[in-house]
Amino acid sequence: MTSLLALTRPDLFQTQNFIAGAWVDSTAHYPVVNPATGALLAQVARAGATETQAAIAAAQQALPGWRRTLAKERGTVLRRWSALMLAHCDDLAALLTAEQGKPLAEARGEVAYAASFLEWFAEEGRRVYGEVVPPHKLGARVVVTKEPVGVVAAITPWNFPLAMVTRKVGAALAAGCSMVLKPSEETPLSAFALAVLGQEAGVPAGVFNVVSGDAPAIGDAVMQSDVVRKVSFTGSTRVGKLLMRQASDTLKRVSLELGGNAPFIVFDDADVDAAVVGAMASKFRNAGQTCVCVNRFFIQDGIYDRFMERFAVAVRALKVGEGTAPGSDIGPLINTTALQKVERHVQDAIALGANLIVGGESHALGGTFYQPTLLTNANVQMQLAQEETFGPVAACFRFKTEDEVLALANDTPFGLSAYFYSRDLARVWDFAERLQVGMVGVNEGMISTEVAPFGGVKESGFGREGSSHGLDDYLSLKYMLVGGLRTGG
Ligand code: ADP
């Protein structure tokens, strides 16, 4: 099948599974559609258990050769891969927007962000240092080394079809692991394009495999395999918990990056203009479909009116449209289930006393487009206070004291990210320490970067991605006690 998109590199459009360095068809196929138009983009080979087992076998076969290469050589491949992504940024962004819906400018930003993980781990991979420990007895030496965990599986979501993949595959390959990736069945085209560029960069056959299709069947095959020693998952808490249960049969290691319920707190002493900029970026990026998106805004009494007035102006100015339309800020939601959840949350909030300030309905463009929405007078009984809305809806609460807002912010099973705006240095440190989350943005609304550890606490999961810590998830410690030596000295 050829692409309807005008790509500079038409071969980046692939619709089959990538196993052992080859494109492999399946007996069944499924449609991938453009969420902005409903138009068919591709009929994609639908992988199940058979394809997954083949991909695992390919990764197993490729593992010894890959883990034997020098870290420097693996780094060279990863750096080339990163450079190829940047060189083909427009094509990758076009594919990404077509299957995911986000505005093209955001898609280009994601390409650069995704490429940064490959570059980062190309460098970090050379610093997998061990330890020489003072021994516990004479005539012995104690040495600790780090080894790749082996064949790993990655299961990724549709909201960042490239970046969620590269921050796993960059770390895994730098560590010397081989990988089977299952991208979201909604957005496999970006992952396939990534595989094309990986092969071109010199990733050997079998080191990186991609299977997309029947999620539970692929998931079961991965989780039942005793070859796969680790699974790294980004997605819903529901599926994360299922995978963790399944992992117990083979005692696989798991890293889970799950949902959040991020608070965004504006204290009386905040820079109000900076707070509005941060609020817009952290709420409305990707139409509110990121796991670090703000889900609850808490505004202190003394700044409430000034903040809300400016926030409402900014929300009203957002332009809704297809990702390819010039100037679009907000694209469609990924599918009708997502739209229904947003509608349910807004209706429930209004029924429980929220005031609708902006939006509140499906957008005139139809499909899964929803109006950027601003609600005030939110309270903890509302569904949107308890679950991630994952849409362009800002729900605002008013608070009086720091203790009150801390209790509200932490009153959730989730603990991924939190944001707050304050210029009181004493408060900044203390308050950040008392937030039960893995990541805090202080006077910043955008916290994602390859240089810092991304991950959560509580039911937002565990494991860290990016940063020097991102490699740890793909490494095992081995300790060697060498006895019978001379004592030296
Ligand atoms: P969302 O609700 O945001 O789509 P999901 O957790 O359903 O989040 O999806 C994240 C990833 O998990 C996707 O790649 C999806 O295909 C995958 N997935 C869904 N169900 C299963 C399952 N039973 N086993 C393995 N992976 C699954």
Side-chain angles (χ1 to χ4, degrees), residues 384-408:
L384 52 68
Q386 288 158 22
E387 311 167 20
E388 251 181 334
T389 303
F390 238 59
V393 179
C396 301
F397 301 64
R398 193 172 180 138
F399 75 93
K400 286 195 170 60
T401 69
E402 193 175 308
D403 285 345
E404 174 196 358
V405 79
L406 181 73
L408 284 164

Side-chain angles (χ1 to χ4, degrees), residues 256-380:
L256 302 173
E257 202 268 273
L258 310 175
N261 185 358
F264 185 106
I265 300 156
V266 185
F267 286 104
D268 283 346
D269 63 356
D271 173 339
V272 70
D273 292 318
V276 171
V277 171
M280 294 304 293
S282 55
K283 174 70 251 184
F284 291 102
R285 193 164 58 109
N286 204 7
Q289 304 172 110
T290 86
C291 48
V292 290
C293 266
V294 180
N295 208 45
R296 301 167 294 157
F297 284 92
F298 298 103
I299 319 297
Q300 200 165 13
D301 250 350
I303 200 169
Y304 187 88
D305 291 339
R306 275 184 297 145
F307 177 84
M308 290 310 302
E309 192 186 313
R310 291 171 214 207
F311 195 25
V313 169
V315 175
R316 270 194 201 96
L318 287 171
K319 199 169 157 211
V320 178
E322 272 190 51
T324 48
S328 278
D329 300 306
I330 305 271
L333 296 172
I334 188 71
N335 54 34
T336 44
T337 312
L339 178 72
Q340 284 159 3
K341 184 175 192 188
V342 170
E343 286 173 335
R344 174 164 61 77
H345 277 195
V346 171
Q347 281 156 16
D348 167 75
I350 291 171
L352 291 177
N355 298 326
L356 183 62
I357 308 298
V358 184
E361 286 177 6
S362 290
H363 193 272
L365 284 170
T368 58
F369 287 97
Y370 195 83
Q371 295 176 346
T373 296
L374 182 60
L375 296 165
T376 57
N377 205 29
N379 65 52
V380 294

Side-chain angles (χ1 to χ4, degrees), residues 398-467:
R398 193 172 180 138
F399 75 93
K400 286 195 170 60
T401 69
E402 193 175 308
D403 285 345
E404 174 196 358
V405 79
L406 181 73
L408 284 164
N410 287 338
D411 182 22
T412 165
F414 299 103
L416 192 59
S417 60
Y419 309 84
F420 70 93
Y421 278 68
S422 169
R423 287 182 287 193
D424 175 344
L425 189 59
R427 161 152 59 207
V428 161
W429 283 111
D430 174 56
F431 195 77
E433 285 166 3
R434 291 196 292 160
L435 285 167
Q436 297 166 357
V437 293
M439 298 175 280
V440 184
V442 185
N443 300 323
E444 286 288 344
M446 300 268 280
I447 52 172
S448 302
T449 161
E450 78 278 15
V451 308
F454 191 105
V457 298
K458 294 162 74 177
E459 292 194 20
S460 291
F462 43 78
R464 289 296 179 269
E465 300 193 289
S467 81

